[in-house]
């Protein structure tokens, strides 16, 4: 069993009943955040890049909870500058890491990193019997097809907000390339600049791919199965 809880923007939690894995915890200053940073409990935090709306409260949450950070070395260095002495698992693109809850593979993302010398990334996570792809912030790129070929994806979490990431059409094509069974759209409607009609996204994605699209509002949870 694997439970997904959406905290708004690109922040979410995966919980297998034993371990809690938090992603891109931008909570303080997030107008859509459904939880406060001081109320989050987690064992691991995966960070896609160092932009403020993704790195967010990661160092402070890690310091409070004892959670271990996973990310690109340059991004983890930003965390270390803010809160020294954090537990870290540096990775880079194409690498895999085995953790107590399962396996994490770091994937390419086409996006700026928010820190000099760094790169943006996504993750494929094996946890609770499911294979979950978190794209991070990214443009559409053809090698998404390779990600879906290497890892038979159950769920893909894709940004759809446009301007800074893929928009509706590109994110629908991403679902097609990834060949995921399910898609959960994220990174939209946080601010007017990235407002999108998520129901239209569901329509076009389900028309052009095998994916079932699940619209999850901030604060809502769903069982991944």
């Amino acid at each position: 069993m694997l439970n997904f809880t959406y905290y708004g923007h690109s922040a979410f939690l995966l919980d297998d009943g034993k371990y809690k894995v938090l992603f891109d915890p931008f909570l303080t200053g997030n107008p859509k955040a459904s939880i406060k940073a001081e109320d989050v409990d987690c064992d691991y935090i995966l960070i896609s890049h160092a932009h403020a709306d993704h790195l967010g409260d990661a160092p402070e949450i890690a310091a409070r909870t004892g959670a271990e950070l996973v990310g690109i070395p340059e991004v983890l260095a930003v965390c270390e500058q803010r809160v020294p002495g954090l537990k870290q698992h540096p990775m880079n693109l194409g690498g895999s890491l085995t953790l107590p809850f399962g396996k994490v593979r770091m994937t390419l993302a086409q996006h700026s990193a928010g820190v000099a010398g760094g790169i943006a990334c996504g993750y494929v996570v094996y946890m609770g019997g499911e294979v979950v792809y978190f794209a991070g912030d990214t443009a559409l790129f053809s090698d998404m097809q390779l990600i879906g070929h290497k890892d038979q994806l159950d769920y893909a979490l894709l940004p759809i907000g446009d301007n800074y990431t893929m928009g509706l059409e590109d994110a629908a094509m991403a679902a097609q390339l990834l060949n995921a069974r399910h898609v959960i759209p994220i990174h939209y409607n946080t601010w007017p600049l990235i407002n999108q009609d998520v129901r239209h996204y569901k329509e076009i994605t389900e028309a052009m791919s095998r994916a079932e699209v699940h619209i999850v509002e901030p604060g809502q949870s769903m069982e991944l199965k």
Side-chain angles (χ1 to χ4, degrees), residues 178-214:
L178 291 161
N179 197 34
R181 293 193 302 116
H182 304 273
V183 168
I184 300 173
I186 58 174
H187 200 280
Y188 68 97
N189 291 1
T190 313
W191 302 284
L193 188 61
I194 59 171
N195 280 354
Q196 293 293 337
D197 182 349
V198 68
R199 298 198 177 279
H200 180 56
Y201 174 70
K202 177 179 172 68
E203 290 173 1
I204 62 175
T205 301
E206 292 182 344
M208 65 186 294
S209 75
R210 72 167 184 148
E212 180 181 0
V213 176
H214 304 271

Side-chain angles (χ1 to χ4, degrees), residues 2 4 84-85 103 204-205 216:
L2 187 62
F4 166 86
K103 187 176 79 169
I204 62 175
T205 301
V216 184

Side-chain angles (χ1 to χ4, degrees), residues 72-151:
I72 292 284
E74 291 84 356
V75 173
L76 296 184
V78 175
C79 296
E80 182 68 16
Q81 290 170 3
R82 277 171 47 179
V83 183
L86 300 173
K87 300 173 186 176
Q88 299 185 0
H89 292 282
M91 298 182 68
N92 220 309
L93 298 182
S96 295
L97 176 66
T98 299
L99 294 168
F101 62 81
K103 187 176 79 169
V104 173
R105 188 166 74 85
M106 183 177 279
T107 63
L108 176 69
Q110 296 284 7
H111 191 73
S112 57
V115 59
I119 49 177
C121 72
Y123 295 95
V124 174
V125 178
Y126 284 72
M127 184 177 183
E130 303 294 327
V131 183
V132 180
Y133 170 57
F134 169 48
D137 274 8
T138 190
L140 175 68
F141 56 98
S142 61
D143 282 355
M144 285 180 170
Q145 188 169 12
L146 291 178
I147 295 172
H149 178 72
K150 179 176 173 60
D151 300 287

Side-chain angles (χ1 to χ4, degrees), residues 158 167-177 201 204-205 208-209:
L158 304 179
L168 300 188
E169 293 78 11
D170 282 4
M173 188 172 292
Q176 185 182 59
L177 291 175
Y201 174 70
I204 62 175
T205 301
M208 65 186 294
S209 75

Side-chain angles (χ1 to χ4, degrees), residues 7 15 73 87 116 172:
Y7 291 145
D15 183 352
K87 300 173 186 176

